[in-house]
Amino acid sequence: MGKERIYNDILMHNKYAWNKAVDSGDEWTVPVSREIIEEAKKGNWKIFLTPLKPVPKEWSRDLRGLKVLCLASGGGQQGPLFSALGADVTVFDNSPKQLMQDQYVAERDSLKIKTVEGDMADLSCFENEMFDLIFHPVSNSFVPDILPVWMETYRVLKRNGILLSGFANPLVYLFDSEKMEQDVLEVKHKIPYSSAQELTDEEKKIYFEKGYALEFSHTLDDQIGGQIKAGFVVNGFYEDYHNEGILSKFIPSYIATRAVKQ
């Protein structure tokens, strides 16, 4: 099986998984309320790259009239908030049902949001230097190679444009996930981890039937160093915890970065 076929199979698998997550009401697929949108219009808002800690408002700028790309960020959560703040918003996601959540909020609250279905590592549908800000919450753990993501975000950002990213601490993937559910930390995997490589065909079939996404850890060298390699200057950083699980008792599970195209 060729590399392209394998990559396309991963995309299709994860598209199905996130469509199913919408059907089951996963927390990252539930649209924001009308009340949250109304508060945002008044200037009272919080937006999240990671589960618990809101993005510092000084990480952004006055969003009115800016072109914002919410990258792999469907679900009716971040895109509608940016639109309520006056931005010209495009939400890009691999899951059509996630994009439907953004369309739902846009229609409900009379917001302007453009939705585009696609692979976060291929932004060829967008012109060079098109966006002022890219918002990329925890989602690149669902693609096997993230350097193309950083390269493409750099290409489509304007000069002095801002990239806000959230991603998993690679240590999350070091341990046996089933044992973690039993509050046991048992080292099982090497980093970088790839469920597409480590799962058997039968296990992948079970994952598909249950709607579990295929996941990939990435080294910090690829996550942070990859942004620098693409040409970004990283000038903001914080860590965040998961809202549940044994690992959160010991170490932050997520990282957020702010980077600028100069």
Side-chain angles (χ1 to χ4, degrees):
M1 184 181 293
K3 289 184 177 180
E4 184 176 353
R5 171 68 185 280
I6 293 171
Y7 186 78
N8 288 335
D9 285 350
I10 291 168
L11 288 177
M12 291 304 297
H13 180 114
N14 285 348
K15 178 181 294 189
Y16 173 82
W18 278 101
N19 283 344
K20 194 162 185 177
V22 174
D23 294 336
S24 63
D26 180 272
E27 63 177 315
W28 300 111
T29 73
V30 179
V32 293
S33 67
R34 187 190 301 273
E35 290 72 23
I36 288 177
I37 294 297
E38 290 304 315
E39 284 299 307
K41 290 178 179 178
K42 299 174 185 176
N44 304 317
W45 57 277
K46 294 179 181 178
I47 200 160
F48 296 85
L49 284 165
T50 55
L52 301 179
K53 187 181 294 186
V55 175
K57 291 188 177 179
E58 61 268 21
W59 272 25
S60 184
R61 56 180 70 157
D62 185 349
L63 292 165
R64 287 173 292 184
L66 296 188
K67 289 185 177 295
V68 173
L69 175 63
C70 293
L71 180 61
S73 180
Q77 298 182 359
Q78 296 95 18
L81 276 173
F82 282 120
S83 181
L85 292 168
D88 179 357
V89 177
T90 300
V91 179
F92 188 92
D93 201 280
N94 186 38
S95 163
K97 287 197 174 181
Q98 279 283 73
L99 294 174
M100 287 174 62
Q101 302 297 70
D102 291 277
Q103 294 162 1
Y104 163 75
V105 180
E107 293 173 8
R108 184 194 68 193
D109 297 335
S110 300
L111 301 171
K112 291 183 179 180
I113 298 175
K114 180 181 179 182
T115 57
V116 180
E117 181 182 335
D119 169 18
M120 71 180 85
D122 179 7
L123 304 181
S124 57
C125 61
F126 301 124
E127 298 176 359
N128 293 348
E129 300 193 1
M130 186 172 174
F131 297 100
D132 299 285
L133 184 144
I134 296 178
F135 192 86
H136 181 46
V138 178
S139 56
N140 67 29
S141 50
F142 302 111
V143 290
D145 185 5
I146 59 171
L147 188 56
V149 177
W150 303 135
M151 293 296 188
E152 280 288 83
T153 54
Y154 188 87
R155 179 183 66 81
V156 302
L157 262 179
K158 297 177 183 178
R159 291 290 172 182
N160 299 314
I162 299 170
L163 169 65
L164 303 182
S165 305
F167 45 88
N169 186 323
L171 285 175
V172 170
Y173 294 93
L174 191 64
F175 303 98
D176 185 317
S177 59
E178 293 184 1
K179 294 288 182 66
M180 287 174 67
E181 292 177 359
Q182 304 167 18
D183 283 348
V184 175
L185 291 176
E186 181 178 301
V187 174
K188 183 178 181 180
H189 306 293
K190 288 182 64 176
I191 304 300
Y193 165 76
S194 165
S195 58
Q197 292 181 352
E198 296 209 17
L199 295 175
T200 65
D201 289 343
E202 184 61 30
E203 288 171 330
K204 289 178 188 175
K205 182 179 178 181
I206 293 171
Y207 261 48
F208 186 82
E209 291 171 350
K210 292 186 176 181
Y212 297 161
L214 296 174
E215 296 189 42
F216 306 86
S217 78
H218 303 292
T219 64
L220 292 179
D221 188 35
D222 284 343
Q223 291 284 18
I224 300 174
Q227 293 182 53
I228 297 169
K229 185 180 295 185
F232 287 105
V233 174
V234 178
N235 62 3
F237 177 96
Y238 65 83
E239 294 179 296
D240 195 10
Y241 288 85
H242 200 282
N243 51 7
E244 58 185 17
I246 184 172
L247 193 60
S248 63
K249 299 177 182 178
F250 299 99
I251 192 169
S253 299
Y254 297 98
I255 292 166
T257 56
R258 182 187 193 272
V260 179
K261 176 177 178 176
Q262 294 186 336

Coordinates of all heavy atoms in Angstrom, one line a residue, residues 49-50 55 59 71 134-140 149-150 153 162-167 223 227 232 236-238 254-259:
L49 N -7.4 27.6 23.2 CA -6.6 26.7 22.3 C -6.4 25.4 23.0 O -6.2 24.4 22.3 CB -5.2 27.3 22.2 CG -5.0 28.5 21.2 CD1 -3.7 29.2 21.4 CD2 -5.1 28.0 19.7
T50 N -6.5 25.3 24.3 CA -6.4 24.1 25.1 C -7.6 24.0 26.1 O -8.3 25.0 26.1 CB -5.0 24.2 25.9 OG1 -5.0 25.4 26.6 CG2 -3.8 24.2 24.9
V55 N -6.9 31.9 26.1 CA -5.8 32.5 25.4 C -5.7 34.0 26.0 O -6.7 34.7 26.1 CB -6.1 32.6 23.9 CG1 -5.0 33.4 23.2 CG2 -6.2 31.2 23.4
W59 N -2.5 38.3 23.3 CA -1.9 37.5 22.2 C -2.5 37.9 20.9 O -2.0 37.5 19.8 CB -2.1 36.0 22.5 CG -1.1 35.4 23.3 CD1 -0.2 36.0 24.2 CD2 -0.7 34.0 23.4 NE1 0.6 35.1 24.8 CE2 0.4 33.9 24.3 CE3 -1.2 32.9 22.7 CZ2 1.0 32.7 24.6 CZ3 -0.6 31.7 23.0 CH2 0.5 31.6 23.9
L71 N -8.2 27.0 11.9 CA -7.7 25.8 11.2 C -7.9 24.5 12.0 O -7.5 24.4 13.1 CB -6.2 26.0 11.0 CG -5.4 24.9 10.3 CD1 -5.9 24.7 8.9 CD2 -3.9 25.2 10.2
I134 N -4.3 33.1 12.3 CA -4.7 31.7 12.2 C -4.8 31.1 13.6 O -3.9 31.3 14.4 CB -3.7 30.8 11.4 CG1 -3.7 31.3 9.9 CG2 -4.1 29.4 11.4 CD1 -2.7 30.6 9.1
F135 N -6.0 30.5 13.9 CA -6.3 30.0 15.2 C -6.3 28.4 15.0 O -7.2 27.9 14.3 CB -7.6 30.5 15.7 CG -7.8 30.2 17.2 CD1 -7.3 31.0 18.2 CD2 -8.6 29.1 17.6 CE1 -7.5 30.8 19.5 CE2 -8.8 28.8 18.9 CZ -8.3 29.6 19.9
H136 N -5.4 27.7 15.7 CA -5.2 26.3 15.4 C -5.2 25.6 16.8 O -4.2 25.3 17.3 CB -3.9 26.1 14.7 CG -3.6 24.7 14.3 ND1 -4.5 23.8 13.8 CD2 -2.4 24.0 14.5 CE1 -3.9 22.6 13.6 NE2 -2.6 22.7 14.0
P137 N -6.4 25.3 17.3 CA -6.5 24.6 18.6 C -6.0 23.1 18.5 O -5.7 22.7 17.4 CB -8.0 24.7 19.0 CG -8.6 24.7 17.6 CD -7.7 25.5 16.7
V138 N -5.9 22.5 19.6 CA -5.4 21.1 19.7 C -6.1 20.2 18.6 O -7.3 19.9 18.7 CB -5.6 20.5 21.1 CG1 -5.1 19.0 21.1 CG2 -4.9 21.3 22.1
S139 N -5.4 19.9 17.6 CA -5.9 19.1 16.5 C -4.9 18.4 15.6 O -5.2 17.5 14.9 CB -6.9 19.9 15.6 OG -6.2 21.0 15.1
N140 N -3.6 18.9 15.7 CA -2.6 18.3 14.8 C -2.2 16.9 15.2 O -1.3 16.3 14.6 CB -1.5 19.3 14.5 CG -0.6 19.6 15.7 OD1 -0.4 18.8 16.6 ND2 0.0 20.8 15.7
V149 N 1.9 21.4 7.9 CA 0.9 22.3 8.5 C 1.5 23.6 8.8 O 1.0 24.7 8.5 CB 0.3 21.7 9.8 CG1 -0.7 22.7 10.5 CG2 -0.4 20.3 9.5
W150 N 2.7 23.6 9.4 CA 3.4 24.8 9.7 C 3.8 25.6 8.4 O 3.7 26.8 8.3 CB 4.7 24.6 10.5 CG 4.4 23.9 11.8 CD1 5.1 22.8 12.4 CD2 3.4 24.1 12.8 NE1 4.6 22.4 13.6 CE2 3.5 23.2 13.9 CE3 2.3 25.0 12.9 CZ2 2.7 23.2 15.0 CZ3 1.5 25.0 14.0 CH2 1.7 24.1 15.0
T153 N 0.6 27.2 6.9 CA 0.1 28.3 7.7 C 1.0 29.5 7.5 O 0.5 30.7 7.4 CB 0.1 28.0 9.2 OG1 1.3 27.5 9.7 CG2 -1.0 27.0 9.5
I162 N -0.4 36.5 12.7 CA -0.2 35.7 14.0 C -0.7 34.3 13.8 O -1.8 34.1 13.3 CB -0.9 36.5 15.1 CG1 -0.3 37.9 15.4 CG2 -0.8 35.6 16.4 CD1 -1.2 38.7 16.3
L163 N 0.0 33.4 14.3 CA -0.4 32.0 14.4 C -0.5 31.6 15.9 O 0.4 31.6 16.6 CB 0.6 31.0 13.7 CG 0.4 29.5 14.0 CD1 -0.9 29.0 13.3 CD2 1.6 28.7 13.4
L164 N -1.8 31.2 16.3 CA -2.0 30.8 17.7 C -2.3 29.3 17.6 O -3.2 28.8 16.9 CB -3.2 31.5 18.3 CG -3.1 33.0 18.3 CD1 -4.3 33.6 19.0 CD2 -1.8 33.5 19.1
S165 N -1.5 28.5 18.3 CA -1.6 27.0 18.2 C -1.7 26.4 19.6 O -1.0 26.8 20.5 CB -0.4 26.5 17.5 OG -0.2 27.1 16.2
G166 N -2.5 25.3 19.6 CA -2.5 24.4 20.8 C -2.2 23.0 20.4 O -2.6 22.6 19.3
F167 N -1.4 22.3 21.2 CA -1.1 20.9 20.9 C -0.8 20.1 22.1 O -0.6 20.6 23.2 CB 0.1 20.8 19.9 CG 1.2 21.7 20.2 CD1 2.2 21.3 21.1 CD2 1.3 23.0 19.7 CE1 3.3 22.1 21.4 CE2 2.4 23.8 20.0 CZ 3.4 23.4 20.8
Q223 N 6.9 20.2 16.9 CA 5.8 21.2 17.2 C 6.3 22.6 17.3 O 5.8 23.5 16.7 CB 5.2 20.8 18.6 CG 4.4 19.5 18.6 CD 3.0 19.7 17.9 OE1 2.8 20.6 17.2 NE2 2.1 18.8 18.1
Q227 N 7.7 25.1 13.8 CA 7.2 26.5 13.5 C 8.4 27.4 13.1 O 8.3 28.2 12.2 CB 6.4 27.0 14.7 CG 5.1 26.3 15.0 CD 4.4 26.9 16.2 OE1 4.2 28.1 16.2 NE2 4.1 26.1 17.2
F232 N 8.6 31.1 11.3 CA 7.9 31.8 12.4 C 8.9 32.2 13.5 O 9.9 31.6 13.7 CB 6.8 31.0 13.0 CG 5.6 30.9 12.2 CD1 5.3 29.6 11.5 CD2 4.7 31.9 12.0 CE1 4.2 29.5 10.7 CE2 3.5 31.8 11.2 CZ 3.3 30.5 10.6
G236 N 5.3 33.6 22.3 CA 4.4 33.4 23.4 C 4.2 31.9 23.7 O 4.3 31.0 22.8
F237 N 4.1 31.5 25.0 CA 4.1 30.1 25.3 C 3.3 30.0 26.7 O 3.5 30.8 27.6 CB 5.5 29.6 25.5 CG 5.6 28.2 25.9 CD1 5.8 27.1 25.0 CD2 5.6 27.8 27.3 CE1 6.0 25.8 25.5 CE2 5.7 26.5 27.7 CZ 5.9 25.5 26.8
Y238 N 2.5 28.9 26.8 CA 2.0 28.5 28.1 C 1.6 27.1 28.1 O 1.4 26.5 27.0 CB 0.8 29.4 28.6 CG -0.5 29.4 27.8 CD1 -1.4 28.3 28.0 CD2 -0.8 30.4 26.9 CE1 -2.6 28.3 27.3 CE2 -1.9 30.3 26.1 CZ -2.9 29.3 26.3 OH -4.0 29.3 25.6
Y254 N -1.0 19.9 27.9 CA -1.2 20.7 26.6 C -0.2 21.9 26.6 O 0.1 22.4 27.7 CB -2.6 21.1 26.4 CG -3.5 19.9 26.2 CD1 -4.3 19.5 27.3 CD2 -3.7 19.3 25.0 CE1 -5.1 18.4 27.1 CE2 -4.5 18.2 24.8 CZ -5.2 17.8 25.9 OH -6.1 16.7 25.7
I255 N 0.1 22.3 25.4 CA 0.9 23.5 25.2 C 0.3 24.4 24.2 O -0.4 24.0 23.3 CB 2.3 23.0 24.7 CG1 3.1 22.2 25.8 CG2 3.2 24.2 24.2 CD1 4.3 21.5 25.3
A256 N 0.5 25.7 24.4 CA 0.0 26.7 23.5 C 1.1 27.7 23.1 O 1.9 28.0 24.0 CB -1.2 27.5 24.1
T257 N 1.2 28.0 21.9 CA 2.2 28.9 21.4 C 1.6 30.1 20.6 O 0.6 29.9 19.9 CB 3.3 28.2 20.6 OG1 2.6 27.6 19.4 CG2 4.1 27.2 21.4
R258 N 2.3 31.2 20.6 CA 2.0 32.3 19.7 C 3.2 32.6 18.8 O 4.4 32.6 19.3 CB 1.7 33.6 20.6 CG 1.4 34.8 19.7 CD 1.3 36.1 20.6 NE 0.7 37.2 20.0 CZ 1.4 38.1 19.3 NH1 2.7 38.0 19.1 NH2 0.7 39.2 18.8
A259 N 3.0 32.6 17.5 CA 4.1 32.8 16.6 C 3.7 33.9 15.6 O 2.5 34.1 15.3 CB 4.4 31.5 15.9

